[in-house]
Amino acid sequence: MRPLTTSTSPRRSRILLWSIPLALAVGCTTDTPASAPDAAEAGDPTLGALPAGDTVERVEVDRYLGAWFEVASIPQGFQARCAATTATYGAVDATTISVRNACRLDTLDGEPVQIDGMATVVDPESNARLEVDFGFGRAPYWIVDLASAPAGEPYPWAIVSVPGGSSLWILSRTARMPDGRYEALLERLRARSYATDQLALTLQPDA
């Protein structure tokens, strides 16, 4: 496993605490109501059936790797100061993923900050539950909703959360998500009792 790399500046280290929640995540979901929106209703081919459990049934890790933009989140700590927030995942071995979270403070031209860590798959049957380690603590990472896409293609969006639903992140492969898709994802989250009223849109370069 590769060593972690973080800033040695005390001020930067404190600021980097924002990125723990983005790279961590756990779902707190309930049984799927019959009235939950489906792909046909939303008119978006990336919307499949809602997950029946706390996480999605299966994640193909190679399709999850790469760069993601944070579209919206429930702000946590220093993360509330972040703009242009991204997460980038890379393969290390069969069960380990490298994690790099980055953002700019306060504005799109603000000071850049980043933190590197490792995520380990803890549920190989689904690959939807991982544990992330940044060198100063571990936390779970659960993928609670995930886009449908043609076989072999990267997933275009993902949603992660934390125990109790106090934190929530909507991620996309593009810095701007179509309004219709975003609203459909909110409806999916509401159908599973997530607190979408606490979400704040993340400022991104082309948004």
Side-chain angles (χ1 to χ4, degrees), residues 10-152:
R11 173 175 177 270
R12 180 67 58 81
S13 297
R14 289 194 299 270
I15 290 172
L16 286 175
L17 292 176
W18 71 269
S19 62
I20 298 175
L22 177 59
L24 319 176
V26 188
C28 81
T29 62
T30 59
D31 292 339
T32 303
S35 61
D38 59 23
E41 293 172 345
D44 186 335
T46 71
L47 303 177
L50 284 177
D54 291 338
T55 62
V56 298
E57 183 176 353
R58 179 70 183 173
V59 179
E60 294 182 31
V61 175
D62 59 335
R63 300 171 64 193
Y64 195 82
L65 302 177
W68 292 91
F69 294 87
E70 181 187 275
V71 174
S73 70
I74 297 177
Q76 303 290 317
F78 279 106
Q79 187 189 9
R81 294 185 57 190
C82 277
T85 304
T86 62
T88 304
Y89 306 120
V92 176
D93 56 38
T95 60
T96 309
I97 297 169
S98 64
V99 179
R100 170 167 291 181
N101 290 339
C103 80
R104 289 184 175 270
L105 295 181
D106 303 319
T107 69
L108 295 177
D109 297 323
E111 178 185 4
V113 294
Q114 70 180 41
I115 187 170
D116 292 349
M118 293 289 177
T120 303
V121 174
V122 297
D123 180 11
E125 290 188 4
S126 70
N127 293 326
R129 303 186 185 195
L130 303 92
E131 185 176 72
V132 176
D133 186 353
F134 285 105
F136 48 83
R138 297 180 180 181
Y141 181 112
W142 288 11
I143 302 166
V144 302
D145 205 352
L146 189 62
S148 295

Side-chain angles (χ1 to χ4, degrees), residues 179-201:
D179 292 342
R181 176 174 295 173
Y182 180 71
E183 291 300 323
L185 296 188
L186 293 184
E187 286 300 314
R188 290 166 70 89
L189 289 167
R190 292 186 191 109
R192 299 169 72 193
S193 301
Y194 284 95
T196 59
D197 59 317
Q198 298 180 36
L199 282 168
L201 292 171

